[in-house]
C-alpha cells in the first residue's frame, strides 16, 4: 500500500533539494576559480566542469524567464536595486578578471583605453540582456495572469 505524504513534507523536501542544488552549483563555480587561479590549469583540463556549470546556469535562467519568475516577484524599486547591484558586481568582476588574465599594461594609455572600452561594452551588454530577459519574463507572467 502506498503511503500518502503531506504537502508540507513534500514542500520541505523540495526546499532542501533546491538548497542542496544551489550549494553544489556555487561549489562548482568555486572549483573552477580554484583550478584557474590557484592551480593555473589550462582550460582544457576543466572544460567539462566549465560547460556543465554554464549549461546549468543558462538552464536555470531560461526556465525562470519563460515561467515568468525572473525578478517579477519583486516590486519595481527592488528590481532596479537588484539589477543595479548585479550589473555593478558583474562589471567589477569582469574588470578584475580582465586585469589579471588579459595582461594589460596600465602604464600604456592604449591598454588603459582598451580596458575602459571593454568594461563599458560589458556593462552595456549586461544591462541590455537583463532588461531583455526581464521584459520577456514580465510578459510571460502577465500572460499567465490573463489566462486565469
Amino acid at each position: 500500500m502506498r503511503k500518502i505524504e503531506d504537502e508540507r513534507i513534500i514542500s520541505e523536501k523540495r526546499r532542501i533539494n533546491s538548497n542542496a542544488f544551489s550549494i553544489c552549483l556555487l561549489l562548482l563555480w568555486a572549483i573552477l576559480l580554484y583550478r584557474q587561479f590557484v592551480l593555473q590549469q589550462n582550460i582544457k583540463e576543466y572544460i567539462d566542469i566549465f560547460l556543465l556549470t554554464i549549461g546549468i546556469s543558462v538552464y536555470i535562467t531560461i526556465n525562470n524567464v519563460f515561467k515568468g519568475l525572473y525578478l517579477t516577484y519583486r516590486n519595481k524599486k527592488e528590481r532596479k536595486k537588484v539589477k543595479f547591484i548585479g550589473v555593478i558586481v558583474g562589471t567589477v568582476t569582469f574588470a578584475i578578471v580582465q586585469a589579471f588574465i588579459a595582461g594589460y599594461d596600465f602604464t600604456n594609455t592604449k591598454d588603459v583605453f582598451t580596458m575602459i572600452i571593454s568594461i563599458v561594452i560589458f556593462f552595456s551588454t549586461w544591462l541590455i540582456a537583463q532588461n531583455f530577459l526581464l521584459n520577456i519574463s514580465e510578459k510571460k507572467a502577465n500572460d499567465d495572469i490573463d489566462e486565469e
Side-chain angles (χ1 to χ4, degrees), residues 12 18 20 45 53 58 75 78 98 145:
E12 189 64 22
S18 178
E45 297 178 48
T53 308
V58 169
N75 64 40
E78 283 183 49
Q98 284 295 306
I145 291 171

Side-chain angles (χ1 to χ4, degrees), residues 109-143:
T109 309
K110 184 179 176 186
D111 279 355
V112 171
F113 185 69
T114 302
M115 177 76 168
I116 291 170
I117 293 296
S118 65
I119 289 171
V120 168
I121 291 171
F122 181 87
F123 180 87
S124 302
T125 304
W126 183 296
L127 270 180
I128 290 168
Q130 258 200 337
N131 285 328
F132 177 72
L133 293 174
L134 184 59
N135 287 339
I136 291 173
S137 187
E138 282 179 336
K139 186 175 186 276
K140 181 63 179 162
N142 290 336
D143 288 348

